Amino acid sequence: MGMTVETALSRLMAQGPRLEPGHVWLAGAGPGDVGHLTLHAVSALAQADVVLTDALVGPDILSLLKPDAELIYAGKRCGRPSAEQAGISAQLVAQAQRGRRVLRLKGGDPFVFGRGGEEVLALVEAGIPFRVIPGLTAGVAGLAAAFIPATMRGINQAIIFATGHGAESQHATLNWEVMASLGQPIVLYMGAKRIGTIARRLMAGGMGADMPAALIIGATTPDMAVTVTDLDHIAETVGDADEEAPMLIVIGRIVAMRAKIMDLVAAVEPELCR
């Protein structure tokens, strides 16, 4: 007889690393669904004395904290009052120096547009022991949940992850015209406010106005919504969406695969298409 799921999970958790006093773990909470947490992330939630969490980490995930854990909100949301990065890093150091088990919990993966690298540097400079717990980034998991393959033989040989933040700044360094010329799909994080500028620059670089594009809101959550459009209309689509919701924008021919996959899925598993 094989062991139960509960027994297997308990054994795996017991064999995992321990979050020691005075140490900091930076853990990715995944794209939203609690089921996408890694075992190491679940273990960290169960061990931490204090947790500094991002704004996009949902209540289902935070409910896994031990009852006496202190929860500190340290989210950064574009266009809204939020914690300064230097302050967050200083808080991590201060909490660890108090001898607490510290967890920095971030949506997605800590090192994918999450400023985890900056926080690790601050910990190293202060001599604080740390561990990084990878998480599923929305640029991969969100696409899969929306039935958009990140890579598809015959369509793309690469995929570009980019941030739309600062696209209109005179100091912006991303050359969108060059990216358009590569012919590879682009996944945009934090691109809602600048998508009009980005779309115009991609078209100026030769990307067709009819290039398929998709807006994914609340990836992997029960409220997930996917709208398929094209590059010429993506700014309009984004403008009609709730700007408070977590958004992911995908531009490229891989988006066209969604309709084909959904047609096949609907024939055998119609519940998955709802």
Side-chain angles (χ1 to χ4, degrees):
M1 292 289 290
M3 68 178 69
T4 65
V5 172
E6 290 79 7
T7 300
L9 287 174
S10 295
R11 178 177 295 181
L12 287 169
M13 295 285 282
Q15 293 173 345
R18 309 310 300 170
L19 177 51
E20 301 292 344
H23 289 216
V24 176
W25 283 8
L26 284 77
D33 185 344
V34 66
H36 293 312
L37 286 172
T38 67
L39 288 174
H40 282 331
V42 173
S43 176
L45 285 160
Q47 296 182 67
D49 299 318
V50 57
V51 179
L52 281 76
T53 182
D54 278 356
L56 296 179
V57 178
D60 288 347
I61 292 173
L62 296 177
S63 70
L64 300 176
L65 291 171
K66 64 181 185 178
D68 60 345
E70 180 183 359
L71 185 61
I72 299 174
Y73 288 94
K76 299 179 71 62
R77 300 297 298 273
C78 183
R80 292 169 55 185
S82 56
E84 294 291 335
Q85 185 57 52
I88 296 172
S89 297
Q91 179 85 285
L92 292 173
V93 171
Q95 293 289 347
Q97 289 175 337
R98 291 175 57 188
R100 308 183 81 185
R101 298 173 179 87
V102 185
L103 173 62
R104 176 68 168 112
L105 192 61
K106 295 172 173 288
D109 180 273
F111 280 2
V112 181
F113 301 121
R115 296 198 171 183
E118 296 175 48
E119 293 171 2
V120 163
L121 288 177
L123 295 172
V124 171
E125 290 173 0
I128 304 296
F130 71 92
R131 177 185 292 268
V132 178
I133 307 298
L136 283 172
T137 184
V140 175
L143 267 63
F147 296 126
I148 299 173
T151 62
M152 187 75 185
R153 187 170 58 155
I155 294 181
N156 65 311
Q157 296 77 45
I159 187 164
I160 301 168
F161 293 152
T163 172
H165 186 66
E168 296 171 339
S169 169
Q170 62 178 344
H171 303 296
T173 57
L174 286 180
N175 191 322
W176 298 97
E177 290 80 5
V178 169
M179 282 199 283
S181 71
L182 299 177
Q184 303 301 321
I186 300 170
V187 178
L188 281 175
Y189 295 71
M190 299 169 285
K193 292 186 179 298
R194 285 92 181 176
I195 186 59
T197 296
I198 292 169
R200 287 192 296 273
R201 291 188 61 181
L202 289 173
M203 287 186 281
M207 187 176 285
D210 61 349
M211 178 65 73
L215 173 64
I216 305 173
I217 295 178
T220 76
T221 71
D223 298 324
M224 185 177 78
V226 183
T227 304
V228 174
T229 179
D230 57 34
L231 183 60
D232 195 32
H233 296 90
I234 186 63
E236 177 183 337
T237 301
V238 171
D240 290 338
D242 178 5
E243 64 178 19
E244 296 294 315
M247 297 182 186
L248 195 68
I249 299 169
V250 191
I251 302 167
R253 290 187 294 135
I254 56 172
V255 174
M257 290 301 302
R258 171 177 161 82
K260 296 180 181 180
I261 293 174
M262 287 193 69
D263 285 345
L264 294 172
V265 171
V268 293
E269 293 285 351
E271 290 292 323
L272 293 179
C273 294
R274 294 187 177 179

